[in-house]
Amino acid sequence: MASEVMASSAKAEILRRIRAANGRASSLDAGGVEAEWTSVEREYRRGTSREREAVLELLEDRLRDYDAHVVRVANTGVAATVAKILSGRGKKRMVVPEGVAAEWLPAGFEFVMDAGLSATELDGFDGVMTGSTLAIAETGTVVLQNVAGQGRRAVTLVPDYHLCVVRVQDVVETVPEAMARLQQTAGLTTTFFSGPSATADIEMTRIKGVHGPRFLDVVLVA
Amino acid sequence: MSGVLDPRTSPPFPIVAKTMLGDSQLRKNVRHATDVIQTKRARVVGEMPDWQALREAGRQIRSHTMENLDFYLEELERNCTRAGGVVHWARDAEEARQIVVALVKESGSDEVIKIKSMTTEEIHLNPALEAAGIHPYETDLAELIIQLGEDWPSHIVVPALHKNRQQIREIFQKKMNLPELGERPQDLADAARMFLREKFLRVKTGLSGANFLIAETGGVCIIESEGNGRMCLTLPETLITVAGIDKVLPRYQDLEVVLQLVPRSATGERMNPYNSIWTGVNAKDGPRNFHVVLMDNARTEILADEEARQTLNCVRCGACQNACPVYRQTGGHAYGSVYAGPIGAILTPQLQEMHHAQSLPYASSLCGACYEVCPVKINIPEVLIHLRNKVVEQKGVSAEALAMKMMGMVFMSERRFRAAQRMGRMAEVPLVRKDGQGVGWIGWLPGMLGGWTQVRDLQEMPKETFRDWWEKRGKDGK
């Protein structure tokens, strides 16, 4: 009880100090704040400026710049491409989130559906394969959300290898276009990743892979 | 005491800076690191045709937020609570520490995994946790180097940039018990991965700061590189996020501005490897208990100062540090605070309510490089000058002011001026040292005048004054 009183008085005190600093005695009306927010000048680029093909090439280029391996395939060729990539990397046992497209999964590999696996169990897989919500060409970024085919954040975090499928219709050129698409699902847990895990803490040398997946393959599906 | 840089106990900047200038290894490491980041930054900023428009939008969003801060904090609390989070309010560092320690104890853990957070460094959270019998594990590579090396952070973004690979290797060999450890950066990163993975999979309580809080959704955004952040945010059962009240953004959409400005400014990347955004708790993804501690700790004092409040717009990218000629020579420790460089020079004294760190507003050449690179256009030189005024006002009539008055009297009379010049030439004799070119320099002046020579050398007085020369010339001409 005493701590609750203290907590509420801390809040009241901080809000009082802010209002005093801003020369006001009471709280603001939402309409006024909204109008002020709307008047912020946004003269930066908010749409696409390149041809579609150039946007896709830009994404491939920026992903490769971040040490990701990128392959572009037709819609019907995903499973075959996945099989080729996994064989090439020597990966056999992969975890996948619920709802991942069945036609993407080739025969001859073990795909285990995540149904709340523990972190230690996730650590035992060769890698993870997921879909994606969207990708941003200009920054080489892929966005995942907790929806079917993309799953929990831990699943794409603990395994050492990530194979991610991106559909070309989900590729945008700029960050503002991406945020506009994400606005509808702003409450979902969301992860942006740009290349594999990396650090530059030692003499500013970019080192691939510290704690997240150290290897990233992206399959871009037309 | 290791791990704590406290403005209340640190010696003034010029004193520590002088020592740091003698550490050539540190200066070499800092110069190398800042050169690399600056080159990368210039390249990726140059790619953006709308960079100035982004900066302007960033500045306007931040200023608008500060003007309506109470509104947005309440909106944030409402939305975070609705999503299953618990919001706590802390007036100062002490209150924030008490709340966090109590929450960790409540989580049933005597260990926490921690993401790099300058806010927790600001409030000296680690010593407080340890005093309560809780062991914090720093999981950011640089913070791990600092923690194991019993060192202090020296940069907002890359806290261990003052250490080179040999020094890091020695720390890891000793503290991780790895005598055979190689010295390639990859070997060192692999060692950290091995060392921390067991902790990530085991420890049940996570502790983070926040890059941004989103009022519209009640969400939190964390920007990082290594994935250690994601480990701390998603694997534990309990997550505690400590954030200054200045970290709030009005809308989800505003991320489109800061997510373009911050990575390019901070590390010279088009986008950092990982951004995590979450709201409250999600039954199937991440911690089951989530707490946000909103901390004032003198931020409302800064807000109340009309000319200095733009300090609160800071997004902690560290670009001003990398660009600063003073920081590049001294490194971060000279600033006596976890916030070093130009932003530290204005932020630290204000966080101390101008009672400590009064030398920091002077730790600048006012060259303006910091203003030029600031992604939200904080006019740091303007704030530095404003704070210098405040320092002078606080000190009242000082010996310095008295000396200036005397100087004024000397300058008003030719007789007194000539006498002073003669006296000066006699008095300086024991202090002058000749350099290689035979020019005399004074590197140390006694008493109060020492303040001048602490940061610069003074050339000896000419043997003959202009007036003497002019008069002599006239006579010889006849």
Side-chain angles (χ1 to χ4, degrees), chain B residues 77-91:
Chain B
E77 181 185 42
R78 248 187 338 268
N79 291 323
C80 178
T81 308
R82 190 180 301 149
V86 184
V87 176
H88 308 261
W89 300 72
R91 277 164 285 209

Side-chain angles (χ1 to χ4, degrees), chain A residues 143-220:
Chain A
V143 177
L144 301 182
Q145 292 189 306
N146 189 345
V147 292
Q150 297 165 45
R152 295 187 297 149
R153 292 173 291 174
V155 177
T156 51
L157 169 65
V158 180
D160 197 22
Y161 166 66
H162 185 186
L163 195 161
C164 186
V165 181
V166 176
R167 304 183 309 162
V168 291
Q169 62 265 42
D170 298 329
V171 178
V172 297
E173 183 183 333
T174 62
V175 176
E177 290 170 85
M179 296 316 293
R181 287 205 190 188
L182 293 169
Q183 179 73 45
Q184 289 304 312
T185 51
L188 291 178
T189 54
T190 303
T191 303
F192 288 54
F193 63 91
S194 309
S197 156
T199 183
D201 276 340
I202 302 167
E203 297 185 6
M204 304 316 294
T205 312
R206 187 177 167 104
I207 309 165
K208 209 168 60 170
V210 194
H211 302 297
R214 282 184 288 186
F215 304 94
L216 172 67
D217 291 331
V218 175
V219 178
L220 191 57

